[in-house]
Amino acid sequence: MGQKGAETRDRLLDATQELVEAGGYLGAGLNQVIAVSGAPRGSLYFHFPEGKDQLVGESVRRAGETIGAALEELAGSSSSPAEFVRDVLRHLGDRLEESGWRKGCPVATVALEMAATSDPLQEACSEVYASWEAALRSLLAGHPDADDLAVTVLAMIEGALLLARTHRSREPLSRVARQITALLR
């Protein structure tokens, strides 16, 4: 694929991620993706011949990698697991607030809407969550019950993002940060 093809594919994925985060799977129609991306309709089917589920699945994986990279960066600059989690919640809160409360978790909405009915999307969401769990588990390696704790922390973060987006307030993120800090002592 040439540079122009790669750029078009990236624009399609960027548009899909933006639409999915704002309105979910059902709010990201193919006509909307084409309009937001500025890509020709034929490019959509050229790059994603399996259709919308392939497009959304790749968008979810790509967004997961972006958040994963931010987690790695924060892990490298944090002095403790508790500080890391506070930094993650601050980062995600900034992202959410800066987007006008539209950009919560790039995976959650798709998982809630489609995991029960689309195996490819369920797999994409599961892969992303598993990678985030693994990152947390690695960070908590010295802690007793690191496996259970990694899932608990991830669930608390996801729930806090949902509540923050719903209430349009960072308060749920702050409260969860305090509880995770206590949990990691």
Side-chain angles (χ1 to χ4, degrees), residues 159-180:
L161 283 170
L162 174 66
L163 292 172
R165 187 173 180 186
T166 301
H167 297 306
R168 295 185 179 173
S169 167
R170 292 177 80 123
E171 185 62 26
L173 300 170
S174 298
R175 289 179 177 184
V176 165
R178 287 191 298 271
Q179 290 304 308
I180 291 174

Side-chain angles (χ1 to χ4, degrees), residues 64-100:
E65 290 171 4
T66 300
I67 297 290
L71 295 179
E72 284 182 31
E73 185 177 319
L74 291 170
S77 64
S78 300
S79 62
S80 69
E83 181 183 352
F84 166 75
V85 172
R86 286 191 303 271
D87 290 346
V88 166
L89 286 164
R90 188 176 311 108
H91 170 77
L92 294 173
D94 290 347
R95 182 178 183 275
L96 182 58
E97 192 169 11
E98 289 167 6
S99 72

Side-chain angles (χ1 to χ4, degrees), residues 2-175:
Q3 181 178 350
K4 186 176 179 182
E7 289 172 1
T8 299
R9 188 175 198 285
D10 285 344
R11 284 196 334 262
L12 288 164
L13 288 168
D14 289 343
T16 301
Q17 182 180 341
E18 179 182 326
L19 291 166
V20 165
E21 283 196 67
Y25 179 89
L26 301 175
L30 295 180
N31 288 334
Q32 291 171 296
V33 171
I34 290 165
V36 170
S37 70
R41 180 173 298 280
S43 293
L44 177 73
Y45 296 104
F46 173 78
H47 292 290
F48 305 98
E50 296 171 34
K52 184 175 177 179
D53 281 5
Q54 180 187 14
L55 174 64
V56 172
E58 289 190 35
S59 174
V60 164
R61 285 184 179 95
R62 188 168 174 239
E65 290 171 4
T66 300
I67 297 290
L71 295 179
E72 284 182 31
E73 185 177 319
L74 291 170
S77 64
S78 300
S79 62
S80 69
E83 181 183 352
F84 166 75
V85 172
R86 286 191 303 271
D87 290 346
V88 166
L89 286 164
R90 188 176 311 108
H91 170 77
L92 294 173
D94 290 347
R95 182 178 183 275
L96 182 58
E97 192 169 11
E98 289 167 6
S99 72
W101 308 101
R102 294 171 60 88
K103 290 187 175 184
C105 174
V107 179
T109 305
V110 174
L112 289 170
E113 288 180 332
M114 301 303 297
T117 59
S118 171
D119 289 342
L121 291 175
Q122 177 275 324
E123 289 169 12
C125 294
S126 180
E127 287 171 18
V128 171
Y129 281 135
S131 73
W132 293 349
E133 283 177 39
L136 287 167
R137 191 170 29 261
S138 174
L139 188 69
L140 300 167
H143 199 285
D145 301 319
D147 291 345
D148 291 348
L149 196 53
V151 172
T152 301
V153 168
L154 180 57
M156 290 174 78
I157 290 170
E158 285 293 311
L161 283 170
L162 174 66
L163 292 172
R165 187 173 180 186
T166 301
H167 297 306
R168 295 185 179 173
S169 167
R170 292 177 80 123
E171 185 62 26
L173 300 170
S174 298
R175 289 179 177 184

